Amino acid sequence: VQLVESGGGLVQPGGSLRLSCTVSGITFSNHDMSWIRQVPGKEVEWVAGITSPPSLFRTTSYAESVKGRFTISRDNAKETLYLQMNSLKPEDTAMYYCASRPNYCPLPWGLTREYNDWGQGTQVTVS
């Protein structure tokens, strides 16, 4: 299983970035996906999640800290997860990880121990 994030970098406050996560080794369309971030010395923070079904039935969820600024999406044909981040703030600075869990999981999105596979992360710095 491989999850590979890309798209991080240094951006000024108010700027935008788009993160991508390409997935292989699992049936992408059978997994719900999330973006999770971590600042060194702090606990991981769940950021956003998206369910697996075809787009008509797909749902998304966001942490309050990013609601209205971040948008999670996925392309099941390309086996890729995205995170569009707008109006970035210094407090968004973190390592961002994509992570997967089986679809139709009834547990809260933020229960990070339930995610089976994680990428290596991509650094986002807002300064």
Side-chain angles (χ1 to χ4, degrees):
V1 179
Q2 250 193 330
L3 287 71
V4 180
E5 302 93 340
S6 61
L10 174 64
V11 63
Q12 293 183 343
S16 297
L17 283 174
R18 189 193 195 204
L19 307 184
S20 299
C21 171
T22 57
V23 179
S24 60
I26 59 173
T27 304
F28 184 68
S29 58
N30 287 349
H31 288 76
D32 294 344
M33 300 294 298
S34 279
W35 288 98
I36 297 166
R37 66 188 182 186
Q38 187 172 29
V39 176
K42 294 189 177 181
E43 291 188 2
V44 295
E45 177 189 12
W46 172 81
V47 174
I50 186 167
T51 57
S52 58
S55 56
L56 184 63
F57 305 101
R58 197 171 290 161
T59 61
T60 58
S61 186
Y62 298 91
E64 284 298 321
S65 58
V66 306
K67 199 172 289 185
R69 300 187 297 122
F70 290 11
T71 303
I72 188 171
S73 61
R74 64 190 292 164
D75 185 331
N76 283 356
K78 295 182 178 179
E79 298 183 308
T80 302
L81 177 73
Y82 303 100
L83 184 68
Q84 178 66 44
M85 305 187 294
N86 298 329
S87 302
L88 282 161
K89 305 176 181 179
E91 51 263 44
D92 294 318
T93 296
M95 185 72 79
Y96 283 71
Y97 301 90
C98 61
S100 69
R101 68 181 195 180
N103 57 3
Y104 306 116
C105 178
L107 300 174
W109 283 107
L111 205 59
T112 55
R113 67 173 184 266
E114 295 300 317
Y115 291 85
N116 299 325
D117 299 299
W118 297 62
Q120 293 299 306
T122 186
Q123 177 68 36
V124 171
T125 302
V126 185
S127 177

